[in-house]
Amino acid sequence: MTESILLQAIIYLAAGVIFVPLAKRLGLGSVLGYLLAGLVIGPAGLGLVGEEGGDIMHIAEFGVVIMLFLVGLELEPDLLWKMRTAILGLGGLQVVLTTLAVAGLAFLLGVPIQPAFAIGMILAMSSTAIVLQTLNEKDLMPSVAGQSTFAVLLFQDIAVIPILAILPLLATYPLPGDAAGAHEHSLLEGLPAWARMLAVLGAVAFVVVLGRYGMRPVFRVIARTGLREVFIASALLLVGGVAYLMELVGLSPALGAFVAGVVLANSEYKHELESDIDPFRGLLLGLFFIAVGASVNVGLIVSQPGLVAGLVLGSMALKALILAGLGKRFKLSTDQNLIFALALSQVGEFAFVLLSFCTQNGILEASMAGLLTAVVALSMALTPLVFLINERLLLPRIGTRSHPDRDTDTIEEKNPVLVVGFGRFGNIVGRFLRASGVGTTVLDFDSDRVDILRRIGLKVYYGDASRYDLLASAGAADAKLIIIALDTPEKSLALVETVRRHFPQLKILVRAYDRDDAYEFMDAGIEHVYRETLDSSLRMGVDAMRLLGTRAYHAERSARLFRRHDEAALAELAAVRTDRKQYFSTARRRIRELEQLISSDETDRWLREVEEGWDAETLRNEMNQMATSPTPPPPTP
Amino acid sequence: MSSILIQFAHPALEKSRVNQVMLRAIRDLPFVTINDLYEEYPDFDIDIDREQQLLLAHDYILLHHPMYWYSTPAMLKQWEDLTLEHGWAYGRQGVALTGKKLMNVMTIGGQREAYNEAGYNRYTVRQFLAPLEQTARLCKMTYLPPFAVHGTHRITEAGIQQAARQYRNLLIQLDAGLIDIPTVLDLPCINDIIPTDELTVNPAPQS
């Protein structure tokens, strides 16, 4: 193997670039793609990366750190406080029960009691990286399952601190000499317990104070330089520095980053930090997953397939069962509970950290740690598959997918207009109609939004409008119009189909995001298609012209002309858009025409207003001729 | 078979008691086309071609509007400005409207007595309409005396019904050619010669 880091990087990146799109194509999700890429380039596959994988793993773990920093940024302290029951109740019980159950089973299987407890705590962890990434990709974060999952992950991340504190007490084996690994930097070795505790508290306090009072002026100065890369560097430095500090005192670096994130959640630099660091998160997490894939000890798995498979499936089943029991106790509906339990059933990346800590501190034998590492990696690799199975096989049998646990509202009003989707577009239309005295029934299936809208006094109903029964109870049979402002054209088209089939009398007005959306709706034969950005962009254009000194009425007329022309062009282009060549030639012609219309003095519609209505050239000519001719002039206007 | 074009201009029809009833009374007449300008062009973006086609397709052009500040609502003026183009409606080659009849149908807040030299408004309704009369002349059209519904602020329900019936009768008689144009040209308003009781469509010519 080569020593060149560049070559290593190229191998990793190439593997990612090849496998992730493939996995996406196959509907497997990016995480599985990365893991596969790791397996292929790892020692078990092509062997392109070998022992060096460990180093990369170390760098890649930084991805997890950044992810938790970003998670922290998203969380305002109030939100944390609001979630305290879920975090402490759900998360706490999960960690305690799983630890006890796993430890009990391990003990029954002949593992001595102390290592059995260590194994219990290790297996209680789930993968923050995989689960959050997957939930985000599937848009499940706002659901009840997503929130519960998040609460448990949060508790686990926090629980790593006491676990790291407890583990040394479980040491039974002699230390394997000078331990090499993540914790070789720890300054606290050999210090008494109270000193360690003080150091840990001091470090956390330092991060909080730094975040709250120290970083703001620093960011301000850096932001003032206007150098974006310096800002990015300082953000990475902050995260890296905090992670390193945490590692020094033996805490989880990810947790430190998380705390730093929470502290900065209220700062004015929140969004800049987010957008600057986000690309690194994606890339490094990808690396992390590849490294996990590469580190799977295939030899071990092949030599003891039954044992490994049993441990993987057994631990996942056990975790899922405990989680499902808790979910039920915390009143999650069946489908939400299924997502929740299966999402967290794998063992997470913290287990790697804990395992290496355990071998270094003589808590677990190396062979046991190796076996468990394989189990952890495999269970992580299986997670996307578990999601897939849940989504394709289990959920369709149990209930509607990704539905927050909440009953559909019953609707008593009968109004002429239904507004479906009360997001940034629908809410303007809906409020306008309501303010104008037009009776509207609003439907939305973002339960958070429904609650917020209700709190500010708007009448909004919760429910999935693509369901016939909800449409019927919303009064679709008596309504005249339905305004569809859903997020995606797929959802909108599905709703259009339902409406057409069951309520043909409803006139359909649909919001399109852009041209491509509009084409799809026009293909579906909808007459009233509204591109959401058309009017506001033109308004901006008009204002720009006015700021440049154009007279207001002229600017307005130009915008009207453009709009009319653009709508006509849209219809024409929709018809030819499958033929790329014709599409582009038509588009070019349309643009040329429009420019000519606006700039030329030919007889187009609004220029006609100016040229003939209020300033007729022909009239002037005729008058001039009259003046020079001997006959008396006719009456003039 | 439409011979009468109603160029209707009212920016707030939903608030007008009289005009709503008047429109309803004539809506079903087969020879009438109602062109509601504020409905058609809420942004004042007048489709000149469409308007000219409408004018060409009818013999009688009735400008139906409330009297605002002794004149028409803004839309009607905008319509005149843009539709009556030089070389089309007037000027040496502007003969498109030759021979057509133009008439104002108006609702007016003040009583009829207020509109004369001794009255509150000092001029007659026809005097206020001089610009339109001259426009018609310039466009080689015949200008007919206005049909004016006076006192709309205080008009009774019965009065409105009567005005609406009379309006309907006016259109029926115009369409049937029952009004002898040359003899009415100088009337202060045409109301006086229109019956107020119900007429049927296309009545037999009176002997």
Side-chain angles (χ1 to χ4, degrees):
Chain A
M1 280 305 356
T2 171
E3 307 281 66
S4 157
I5 287 191
L6 184 61
L7 185 58
Q8 286 277 311
I10 288 173
I11 292 170
Y12 273 87
L13 292 174
V17 168
I18 292 168
F19 280 93
V20 174
L22 261 177
K24 274 271 188 194
R25 215 25 191 304
L26 298 171
L28 298 176
S30 65
V31 175
L32 203 53
Y34 283 121
L35 291 171
L36 278 176
L39 267 176
V40 170
I41 60 170
L46 302 174
L48 294 176
V49 291
E51 297 306 311
E52 300 92 324
D55 291 339
I56 297 280
M57 186 77 177
H58 211 64
I59 299 170
E61 271 172 17
F62 198 49
V64 180
V65 171
I66 292 183
M67 183 186 66
L68 272 155
F69 178 70
L70 288 175
V71 168
L73 264 189
E74 274 301 308
L75 274 184
E76 271 135 56
D78 318 349
L79 186 64
L80 268 181
W81 183 244
K82 233 173 70 189
M83 286 178 66
R84 65 190 185 279
T85 328
I87 295 172
L88 288 178
L90 214 48
L93 282 172
Q94 185 269 335
V95 171
V96 170
L97 291 179
T98 310
T99 302
L100 290 178
V102 171
L105 272 177
F107 184 67
L108 287 179
L109 290 173
V111 181
I113 187 79
Q114 286 106 325
F117 258 106
I119 293 170
M121 287 187 278
I122 290 166
L123 293 193
M125 299 293 111
S126 306
S127 172
T128 309
I130 291 183
V131 177
L132 285 193
Q133 180 89 350
T134 312
L135 289 181
N136 270 328
E137 264 174 38
K138 295 185 187 301
D139 228 5
L140 284 170
M141 273 319 281
S143 67
V144 175
Q147 291 297 303
S148 310
T149 307
F150 183 69
V152 172
L153 287 171
L154 212 53
F155 185 86
Q156 289 178 358
D157 293 344
I158 298 168
V160 172
I161 314 170
I163 289 176
L164 283 171
I166 294 168
L167 279 176
L169 305 176
L170 301 173
T172 46
Y173 303 99
L175 284 175
D178 262 16
H183 295 272
E184 62 188 321
H185 312 296
S186 182
L187 293 173
L188 306 176
E189 242 127 277
L191 287 180
W194 62 267
R196 283 188 190 208
M197 183 66 94
L198 271 186
V200 167
L201 288 178
V204 173
F206 177 71
V207 170
V208 171
V209 172
L210 182 75
R212 179 140 290 181
Y213 304 104
M215 285 321 286
R216 219 175 268 193
V218 175
F219 281 140
R220 196 173 306 135
V221 170
I222 294 168
R224 215 173 287 149
T225 64
L227 296 170
R228 184 149 184 259
E229 63 277 14
V230 178
F231 193 89
I232 298 174
S234 66
L236 287 175
L237 179 65
L238 169 74
V239 178
V242 168
Y244 185 69
L245 176 72
M246 289 295 142
E247 215 159 75
L248 278 186
V249 299
L251 280 185
S252 135
L255 185 76
F258 173 74
V259 172
V262 172
V263 174
L264 287 171
N266 283 330
S267 106
E268 61 270 42
Y269 299 104
K270 170 179 166 172
H271 295 294
E272 192 154 6
L273 284 170
E274 254 171 25
S275 59
D276 280 351
I277 294 190
D278 205 51
F280 293 94
R281 177 200 67 143
L283 199 57
L284 290 173
L285 267 187
L287 269 185
F288 174 75
F289 294 133
I290 295 180
V292 170
S295 69
V296 171
N297 187 341
V298 179
L300 190 69
I301 299 170
V302 171
S303 64
Q304 296 173 292
L307 178 65
V308 174
L311 284 176
V312 171
L313 296 178
S315 63
M316 291 181 81
L318 182 67
K319 292 188 73 170
L321 272 178
I322 292 171
L323 284 161
L326 285 174
K328 199 152 179 77
R329 184 83 182 65
F330 278 75
K331 303 206 161 59
L332 265 66
S333 67
T334 316
D335 50 344
Q336 294 290 300
N337 199 359
L338 210 53
I339 296 173
F340 168 69
L342 292 178
L344 291 171
S345 63
Q346 79 296 105
V347 188
E349 55 276 356
F350 279 129
F352 295 125
V353 178
L354 295 177
L355 278 169
S356 72
F357 184 85
C358 284
T359 40
Q360 286 151 32
N361 289 284
I363 302 157
L364 288 175
E365 281 175 307
S367 61
M368 175 66 90
L371 178 65
L372 288 176
T373 304
V375 169
V376 173
L378 270 183
S379 80
M380 284 168 78
L382 281 178
T383 302
L385 278 180
V386 170
F387 265 106
L388 211 62
I389 290 169
N390 185 31
E391 212 167 275
R392 300 272 159 87
L393 299 178
L394 299 178
L395 285 179
R397 272 146 227 234
I398 303 186
T400 338
R401 196 170 73 89
S402 81
H403 263 251
D405 173 32
R406 183 160 163 177
D407 286 334
T408 291
D409 286 315
T410 36
I411 297 172
E412 283 129 21
E413 286 179 277
K414 293 268 180 272
N415 282 317
V417 179
L418 303 181
V419 179
V420 183
F422 213 60
R424 62 179 188 277
F425 188 94
N427 98 66
I428 298 175
V429 182
R431 283 191 299 125
F432 168 69
L433 291 176
R434 259 170 201 256
S436 312
V438 177
T440 52
T441 300
V442 174
L443 295 147
D444 198 296
F445 59 145
D446 178 334
S447 55
D448 288 345
R449 186 150 65 211
V450 169
D451 286 337
I452 291 169
L453 291 173
R454 282 199 187 145
R455 220 170 299 150
I456 59 176
L458 284 166
K459 262 196 163 173
V460 184
Y461 293 100
Y462 170 81
D464 176 6
S466 61
R467 275 169 41 196
Y468 161 76
D469 55 339
L470 184 79
L471 277 178
S473 65
D478 302 311
K480 292 196 174 71
L481 305 179
I482 183 164
I483 292 171
I484 301 175
L486 292 170
D487 292 342
T488 64
E490 293 80 39
K491 282 190 206 164
S492 300
L493 285 169
L495 177 54
V496 164
E497 212 169 282
T498 315
V499 169
R500 286 234 173 103
R501 188 164 337 120
H502 298 287
F503 308 102
Q505 99 288 356
L506 272 180
K507 285 206 179 71
I508 301 173
L509 287 76
V510 62
R511 184 229 43 200
Y513 177 72
D514 57 11
R515 231 162 229 274
D516 290 330
D517 274 17
Y519 290 151
E520 285 200 36
F521 295 133
M522 288 160 84
D523 283 353
I526 302 172
E527 281 173 58
H528 308 284
V529 177
Y530 300 83
R531 280 171 288 161
E532 68 172 31
T533 46
L534 181 63
D535 289 287
S536 47
S537 331
L538 284 178
R539 228 177 64 209
M540 193 179 193
V542 167
D543 284 350
M545 285 176 75
R546 295 183 59 181
L547 287 171
L548 290 172
T550 311
R551 284 175 53 75
Y553 190 58
H554 176 94
E556 285 288 342
R557 281 199 313 257
S558 302
R560 285 203 306 261
L561 174 68
F562 183 92
R563 191 180 191 290
R564 239 184 354 251
H565 188 275
D566 199 61
E567 292 285 358
L570 184 77
E572 195 183 336
L573 287 168
V576 298
R577 76 179 203 277
T578 43
D579 180 348
R580 295 318 276 174
K581 224 175 123 198
Q582 211 190 338
Y583 181 85
F584 285 113
S585 77
T586 308
R588 272 199 303 276
R589 174 173 57 74
R590 276 296 192 165
I591 291 170
R592 212 168 42 236
E593 277 172 13
L594 184 59
E595 280 169 1
Q596 274 168 6
L597 268 184
I598 291 189
S599 63
S600 77
D601 46 31
E602 283 170 21
T603 53
D604 73 82
R605 283 272 302 289
W606 68 260
L607 276 171
R608 221 162 125 189
E609 292 181 9
V610 186
E611 295 294 324
E612 292 171 28
W614 293 308
D615 181 25
E617 182 82 37
T618 55
L619 178 61
R620 256 177 281 141
N621 292 341
E622 197 172 313
M623 288 292 141
N624 285 335
Q625 284 171 21
M626 300 286 165
T628 54
S629 78
T631 48
T636 65
Chain B
M1 232 350 273
S2 47
S3 67
I4 301 176
L5 175 66
I6 309 283
Q7 291 292 53
F8 181 76
H10 197 311
L13 178 59
E14 61 281 357
K15 281 173 66 183
S16 166
R17 295 186 304 142
V18 183
N19 284 292
Q20 285 189 24
V21 178
M22 288 174 71
L23 276 187
R24 216 175 300 135
I26 61 159
R27 190 144 271 167
D28 63 317
L29 295 174
F31 46 83
V32 168
T33 305
I34 298 174
N35 187 31
D36 185 342
L37 291 173
Y38 278 95
E39 181 69 20
E40 206 65 47
Y41 310 113
D43 51 4
F44 277 57
D45 193 12
I46 292 188
D47 185 340
I48 297 168
D49 286 325
R50 174 177 177 277
E51 291 304 312
Q52 292 186 343
Q53 291 310 313
L54 278 173
L55 289 176
L56 288 176
H58 296 82
D59 298 326
Y60 291 90
I61 319 297
L62 272 56
L63 308 179
H64 179 166
H65 60 93
M67 187 183 226
Y68 280 162
W69 282 112
Y70 309 110
S71 181
T72 68
M75 174 69 86
L76 211 48
K77 183 65 168 64
Q78 175 94 345
W79 171 83
E80 285 171 46
D81 288 355
L82 300 184
T83 310
L84 305 178
E85 284 175 323
H86 177 253
W88 185 81
Y90 72 100
R92 208 179 284 161
Q93 271 109 41
V95 293
L97 303 174
T98 308
K100 295 184 186 294
K101 282 83 174 171
L102 188 74
M103 176 192 242
N104 285 82
V105 174
M106 318 163 72
T107 52
I108 302 175
Q111 300 296 339
R112 194 165 166 177
E113 305 79 70
Y115 285 87
N116 67 54
E117 252 170 77
Y120 186 74
N121 292 309
R122 297 178 53 227
Y123 301 94
T124 66
V125 169
R126 274 203 78 152
Q127 281 171 326
F128 283 120
L129 290 173
L132 282 164
E133 182 159 359
Q134 178 54 23
T135 297
R137 192 183 155 84
L138 186 68
C139 296
K140 303 159 193 81
M141 293 192 278
T142 308
Y143 187 77
L144 300 179
F147 178 84
V149 179
H150 277 280
T152 53
H153 298 312
R154 281 183 289 168
I155 196 168
T156 60
E157 201 52 46
I160 295 174
Q161 292 300 338
Q162 178 180 318
R165 256 195 325 274
Q166 207 178 8
Y167 185 28
R168 183 183 166 89
N169 292 344
L170 165 73
L171 301 189
I172 292 169
Q173 295 195 331
L174 281 178
D175 177 65
L178 295 174
I179 291 173
D180 181 28
I181 304 287
T183 63
V184 301
L185 282 180
D186 292 327
L187 290 176
C189 68
I190 207 163
N191 301 52
D192 300 338
I193 62 158
I194 307 296
T196 53
D197 49 341
E198 215 154 315
L199 285 186
T200 48
V201 183
N202 295 327
Q206 285 157 337
S207 49

